Amino acid sequence: MKANCWIAPNNVAVEDVPDPQILNPRDAIVRITSSAICGSDLHLLQGYIPAMKKGDVLGHEFMGEIVELGQGSRDGLSVGDRVVVGFPIACGNCTSCQRGLYSICENSNPNAAIAETAMGHSPAGIFGYSHLLGGYAGGQAQYVRVPFADVGALKIEDDLPDEKVLFLSDVLPSGYMAAEMCDITSGDIIAVWGAGPVGQFAAASAFLLGAERVIVIDRFPYRLRMARENTGAETINYEESDVLDTLREMTAGRGPDACIDAVGMEGHHASAALHAYDKAKQAAKVETDRPHALREAVLACRNGGTISAIGSYGGFIDKFPMGSFMNRSLTLRSGQAHVQRYMRPLLERIRKGEIDPSFIITHTMRLDDTPHGYDIFKNKQEECVKVVLKP
Amino acid sequence: MTDTLGIERASQDRPSEGLARLLGWFSLGLGAAALGARSRVGRLSGIDGSPTAQTVLRIAGVRELGHAAALLVPRRAGWGAWTRVAGDAMDLAACGRALQGRRGERRRRLTYTTVAVAGITAVDLYTAVRVARRRRPEGNEVHAAVTVNRSVEDVYRFWHDFENLPRFMHHLQSVRMTGDRRSRWTAKAPAGRRVVWDAEVVDDRPNERISWRSVPRAKVPNAGTVRFMRAAGGRGTEVRVQLGYRAPGGMLGARVAKLFGEDPQQQVCDDLRRFKQVIETGEIVRSDASPEGSAVQQQMKQRPARPLATRGAGR
């Protein structure tokens, strides 16, 4: 089969690799009909997540048709079913899974010992997301093996097109969970850093959950325009105006009630000097992540507000404004999305027409063109927001 | 000397053992010099010039050879180090006596000798104390714990069936029950070899603890205890394992580790992680990069995360 493989930093290639096969009783083999490139794939592409090996198959947002099932699969999955697969691999049996915290499943990372060294405790394994998180082959391929398919694969029973349900695998639940972590109450103003797919879904979800106003912050006019048109958010271009001042003014001095960081470890800063400072530290491996958005979110948030961090971080950050955070009674919530918890309810919302996630798709291409897809997505060319791959 | 798990232990304390042997060679040199080049040694140390000194030197030479034998011949230099301390005491006494009758240049040399002997005494005393203390058992005993989302009864029952152990203990090939309390264990050893031993359950308290021990004269003396405790607030069961083993022929530490494939502490942690996987999910989770399961060794030697090449490409 064909699969998109990581070769070296900033180098991916579509290669012929062996077909997947059932390894465990609860596995399923899925023939992929659509997969996507996610913003967090860029961290892997650029080599910021250390445990990548030449030949690793990438991709954790995908859907398709079950072509083979292991002996032990439970709960009504059968060959021929059309499914969307959540990106965290979760067993459904451990304490974390039973509490709905699927992305910290205690059993699905076979490399837990390595992750423990880096993180203290191990999170769940993730498809195509480095050996630190399990060394699972990803879904930018023709076929993929799905462990614990009875927990991770959601059957799509009606004829909703791939484009409407594909993002249940990651970016839609991620954006939704980011908004949910804000505990939105009536009249709340939510600020969202990052107008990528997760940021836009977070903005849309914040409105769904009752926010009064949503303000999206980014530096690409086309992404901000998209957020305005599709979610009804107001926008700030941080290269044109000072974010803290503008937010203070827009909220009459209070600051946003909650701030969502949908940027993560590769943030940019309007000040070239500050950006260079973090970039240099990152290059020297003194700091692994560039937390510009997180720092700004802390400073912008109203007293007693909440920071909801959904952007991916890999390791260690410097200069977290702890004084501001502590003295102003802020709350920080974060996590990889517990996708399995949100897939079914969000599918219902899609069915009812409350949200149509397909608006973020700007490019659809063949699996063979994946390297080009990575290129335009990374460099923000051709107004690229989301690339969908068709094997 | 046996440890808390009832396993016969040998010394772990290599540095002090090495120091004792070094002192043994030192004694040999001193003894040979004192006997072979008596007059020169006498002149150099400042105790020459009297018939008594010649006798004292001869006695000291013989005594040093005795120390050498005591320190170098036995497998462990236990009390040998203390014979040197006793000899040092004699030397210091002799020096003290001799100092009273010496003047000038000879007195100065003798003073140097006395200071040197005092220094050697300090080293000997240190070594003797270290070598004596080393008998305390340590190492080769590993602890690990895991919390499992199952009832104490389930967890106890699963572990109590020893034939389940190879499902998650990777160095074990099989465990077969041969009697009510007896079982035969087969483990993988380096170079494709196998080690077989018999074990018996020595303590079995339902839903509380199980202790087992290899029968006497087993090739790989080992013992283990697993304790089960209800975790507070419905958090399942805490499983705490204590294992000890000693490899054939008294090989220790690193060589035991080799026998079992890797660092025993890491091995036990990995075993418990797999135990949790098996009892909670019914399977040991395998990724495309480590289809054999999770073990640190396999993690180090991981292939790229692409599917296995067994079915042939191009479906």
Side-chain angles (χ1 to χ4, degrees):
Chain A
M1 70 163 185
K2 276 190 275 186
N4 179 48
C5 301
W6 188 90
I7 307 297
N10 293 309
N11 184 2
V12 293
V14 176
E15 294 190 343
D16 272 320
V17 305
D19 285 359
Q21 57 170 333
I22 302 280
L23 288 178
N24 274 16
R26 286 163 66 190
D27 288 356
I29 304 293
V30 170
R31 182 181 63 81
I32 288 168
T33 53
S34 297
S35 66
I37 304 175
C38 177
S40 55
D41 284 332
L42 296 181
H43 310 320
L44 299 174
L45 174 76
Q46 311 198 38
Y48 288 124
I49 311 263
M52 292 296 290
K53 280 189 191 296
K54 183 179 180 220
D56 283 349
V57 179
L58 291 169
H60 55 267
E61 269 187 311
F62 54 86
M63 63 178 298
E65 180 196 340
I66 294 181
V67 293
E68 202 177 334
L69 269 175
Q71 300 292 319
S73 65
R74 313 170 300 190
D75 292 357
L77 285 180
S78 39
V79 170
D81 283 352
R82 199 168 154 238
V83 291
V84 181
V85 178
F87 78 84
I89 297 168
C91 73
N93 303 105
C94 64
T95 310
S96 299
C97 283
Q98 290 185 350
R99 291 181 180 175
L101 304 171
Y102 294 95
S103 76
I104 51 168
C105 169
E106 295 158 30
N107 287 317
S108 65
N109 185 0
N111 295 343
I114 301 180
E116 276 172 5
T117 318
M119 299 188 194
H121 296 269
S122 174
I126 295 179
F127 292 100
Y129 211 74
S130 93
H131 292 255
L132 191 68
L133 298 177
Y136 288 95
Q140 286 163 8
Q142 287 179 298
Y143 296 88
V144 69
R145 178 179 75 98
V146 178
F148 302 119
D150 46 348
V151 177
L154 174 71
K155 195 166 157 184
I156 306 295
E157 300 190 46
D158 47 30
D159 55 358
L160 289 167
D162 279 15
E163 284 65 25
K164 283 199 177 191
V165 291
L166 170 62
F167 302 122
L168 287 171
S169 61
D170 178 354
V171 280
L172 180 57
S174 293
Y176 187 85
M177 183 167 121
E180 199 189 63
M181 287 193 293
C182 296
D183 283 335
I184 295 170
T185 55
S186 156
D188 273 1
I189 303 177
I190 310 296
V192 181
W193 274 254
V198 173
Q200 299 205 27
F201 285 146
S205 304
F207 279 122
L208 278 180
L209 292 170
E212 174 87 16
R213 291 166 70 194
V214 178
I215 302 160
V216 174
I217 300 142
D218 203 288
R219 64 183 169 130
F220 295 102
Y222 73 94
R223 302 214 305 184
L224 292 170
R225 190 182 63 238
M226 210 170 162
R228 275 196 305 274
E229 286 169 3
N230 291 292
T231 70
E234 300 155 70
T235 57
I236 301 175
N237 186 328
Y238 67 78
E239 286 190 335
E240 288 166 2
S241 40
D242 184 88
V243 175
L244 292 181
D245 281 351
T246 313
L247 282 175
R248 215 173 279 135
E249 195 186 305
M250 290 171 91
T251 58
R254 302 192 301 278
D257 297 284
C259 295
I260 294 173
D261 169 4
V263 174
M265 61 190 285
E266 287 186 73
H268 288 77
H269 198 282
S271 150
L274 276 178
H275 184 62
Y277 172 76
D278 276 282
K279 193 116 191 182
K281 287 217 289 200
Q282 208 174 22
K285 312 234 185 276
V286 189
E287 176 183 42
T288 57
D289 303 4
R290 307 194 301 259
H292 299 310
L294 187 64
R295 290 178 188 139
E296 207 166 64
V298 170
L299 297 176
C301 197
R302 76 151 156 83
N303 285 357
T306 299
I307 320 295
S308 163
I310 197 80
S312 291
Y313 287 91
F316 299 89
I317 58 170
D318 286 359
K319 303 219 165 12
F320 180 81
M322 194 63 203
S324 167
F325 182 74
M326 181 270 160
N327 285 291
R328 303 194 301 110
S329 298
L330 300 182
T331 301
L332 175 62
R333 297 181 68 184
S334 64
Q336 294 277 15
H338 304 298
V339 173
Q340 284 85 341
R341 188 164 91 191
Y342 299 100
M343 282 204 291
R344 207 173 286 277
L346 285 175
L347 176 62
E348 276 312 305
R349 285 186 186 265
I350 295 170
R351 268 204 196 111
K352 286 189 207 150
E354 290 176 18
I355 187 165
D356 177 2
S358 58
F359 74 81
I360 56 163
I361 302 172
T362 51
H363 292 75
T364 300
M365 50 184 77
R366 289 163 45 237
L367 180 63
D368 293 308
D369 300 326
T370 312
H372 175 64
Y374 269 87
D375 199 41
I376 58 170
F377 184 40
K378 175 188 157 194
N379 297 310
K380 310 289 181 281
Q381 290 163 350
E382 303 176 22
E383 305 212 331
C384 178
V385 171
K386 192 70 176 177
V387 179
V388 172
L389 304 164
K390 296 283 186 180
Chain B
M1 176 71 70
T2 56
D3 67 10
T4 48
L5 288 164
I7 297 177
E8 197 70 32
R9 292 281 175 216
S11 162
Q12 303 292 310
D13 202 337
R14 281 157 177 265
S16 58
E17 191 76 39
L19 195 56
R21 305 228 162 250
L22 199 70
L23 286 176
W25 289 106
F26 182 55
S27 292
L28 192 64
L30 272 183
L35 293 178
R38 210 182 322 149
S39 53
R40 200 181 302 166
V41 170
R43 200 162 49 247
L44 213 67
S45 57
I47 56 169
D48 54 340
S50 76
T52 347
Q54 294 291 317
T55 320
V56 166
L57 260 184
R58 197 181 297 128
I59 293 172
V62 172
R63 205 194 65 219
E64 287 295 342
L65 291 183
H67 294 329
L71 284 165
L72 295 177
V73 178
R75 285 176 56 98
R76 277 181 274 142
W79 54 272
W82 285 108
T83 65
R84 276 196 57 92
V85 175
D88 292 332
M90 282 168 63
D91 288 351
L92 281 174
C95 286
R97 260 193 79 86
L99 267 176
Q100 291 171 350
R102 300 286 192 283
R103 291 287 173 271
E105 174 66 15
R106 288 172 69 213
R107 185 184 168 95
R108 221 180 61 212
R109 279 196 207 143
L110 192 57
T111 310
Y112 292 154
T113 309
T114 311
V115 170
V117 170
I120 290 169
T121 307
V123 174
D124 288 342
L125 201 61
Y126 169 75
T127 309
V129 169
R130 283 288 301 269
V131 170
R133 204 191 276 163
R134 63 150 168 74
R135 286 175 170 276
R136 205 180 42 198
E138 53 190 339
N140 287 2
E141 194 186 302
V142 289
H143 305 257
V146 74
T147 303
V148 176
N149 189 23
R150 284 295 193 92
S151 69
V152 170
E153 292 75 19
D154 284 355
V155 177
Y156 168 82
R157 203 176 313 124
F158 186 88
W159 199 296
H160 194 262
D161 183 358
F162 280 10
E163 300 193 357
N164 277 330
L165 299 186
R167 287 179 69 185
F168 61 90
M169 290 189 175
H170 259 193
H171 66 277
L172 286 181
Q173 240 163 26
S174 67
V175 178
R176 206 160 39 76
M177 296 309 291
T178 52
D180 186 25
R181 301 191 138 238
R182 303 269 291 217
S183 46
R184 170 152 297 175
W185 301 47
T186 307
K188 296 170 210 156
R193 287 179 304 149
R194 290 189 309 169
V195 190
V196 182
W197 70 87
D198 287 319
E200 60 183 345
V201 171
V202 290
D203 190 10
D204 184 359
R205 287 178 237 164
N207 305 329
E208 222 175 281
R209 62 183 284 168
I210 308 171
S211 296
W212 66 94
R213 182 185 300 164
S214 56
V215 300
R217 285 186 300 284
K219 256 195 199 153
V220 187
N222 70 86
T225 294
V226 56
R227 286 176 293 138
F228 310 96
M229 240 179 79
R230 201 174 306 280
R235 286 168 170 80
T237 303
E238 294 178 359
V239 181
R240 288 171 205 282
V241 171
Q242 191 183 6
L243 280 181
Y245 28 97
R246 187 160 70 80
M251 291 188 301
L252 297 166
R255 295 166 89 174
V256 176
K258 265 189 188 162
L259 177 80
F260 288 101
E262 53 190 69
D263 169 27
Q265 178 66 53
Q266 190 62 55
Q267 176 82 55
V268 174
C269 288
D270 288 347
D271 284 349
L272 279 189
R273 212 191 299 282
R274 282 186 290 262
F275 170 71
K276 178 178 163 72
Q277 287 173 6
V278 167
I279 198 161
E280 286 186 355
T281 75
E283 57 190 58
I284 286 172
V285 64
R286 298 190 291 175
S287 81
D288 307 86
S290 60
E292 302 82 11
S294 59
V296 164
Q297 258 193 335
Q298 286 152 359
Q299 289 172 359
M300 296 306 161
K301 291 186 263 181
Q302 275 189 347
R303 312 169 302 111
R306 56 165 57 173
L308 294 171
T310 48
R311 193 186 281 163
R315 186 154 24 180

